Amino acid sequence: MLFAEQLAPAGFRVVDFSLSTQSGSDATFRRDPESHRQALDDFFCRTGNDFGRFNYLGEWHSHPSFSAHPSLDDIVTMTDLVENGDGIGFAVLMIVRLRCRFWRDCTFTAFAKGAAPATSDVVRVFR
């Protein structure tokens, strides 16, 4: 999961993320409600339960062997999350891919209730 600090009405800064070693493989990702709930509870505890400032922003995962763009399964999962999730009106999906030792591809896709997903252009980062 991605956790963020809200800096402005439409401005967020990612301040933390969770890692899951049990839900998914190098070709699939599945949300695990129990481990996600624990990660949320831990984050909220660390940030003083200040939900107006710090909150869940969305999900992230890697596509080690595929394009960094969302798959159909990613789109279905995230759309279901915002359309049917408990109080989640929008979420961001970040997908990363390490293409070689120094190049990373990354996309951000915004999902909002009642709206089509919007994906940013791929960003390549040289490090």
Side-chain angles (χ1 to χ4, degrees):
M1 290 188 291
L2 295 172
F3 305 104
E5 175 183 16
Q6 186 164 6
L7 304 174
F12 299 90
R13 177 175 65 103
V14 174
V15 296
D16 203 356
F17 61 93
S18 65
L19 296 173
S20 177
T21 59
Q22 300 172 1
S23 58
S25 69
D26 43 335
T28 62
F29 173 76
R30 280 179 256 93
R31 295 185 88 245
D32 175 20
E34 186 176 318
S35 67
H36 281 81
R37 171 58 47 204
Q38 185 62 51
L40 278 168
D41 290 346
D42 292 347
F43 175 73
F44 292 142
C45 183
R46 287 191 310 274
T47 56
N49 295 313
D50 186 354
F51 308 115
R53 181 175 173 197
F54 297 99
N55 218 314
Y56 169 82
L57 182 64
E59 302 289 330
W60 80 276
H61 62 264
S62 63
H63 281 184
S65 304
F66 311 106
S67 161
H69 288 88
S71 67
L72 181 56
D73 285 343
D74 293 333
I75 292 169
V76 168
T77 298
M78 294 301 292
T79 299
D80 183 58
L81 179 67
V82 298
E83 294 295 337
N84 303 311
D86 186 24
I88 299 172
F90 74 94
V92 171
L93 173 62
M94 179 178 82
I95 300 176
V96 295
R97 176 181 177 217
L98 180 63
R99 288 203 301 148
C100 64
R101 189 170 172 200
F102 299 108
W103 288 92
R104 292 183 194 98
D105 292 344
C106 181
T107 60
F108 292 89
T109 304
F111 295 82
K113 197 171 288 244
T119 301
S120 71
D121 291 335
V122 174
V123 177
R124 290 184 176 92
V125 179
F126 181 82
R127 202 158 201 215

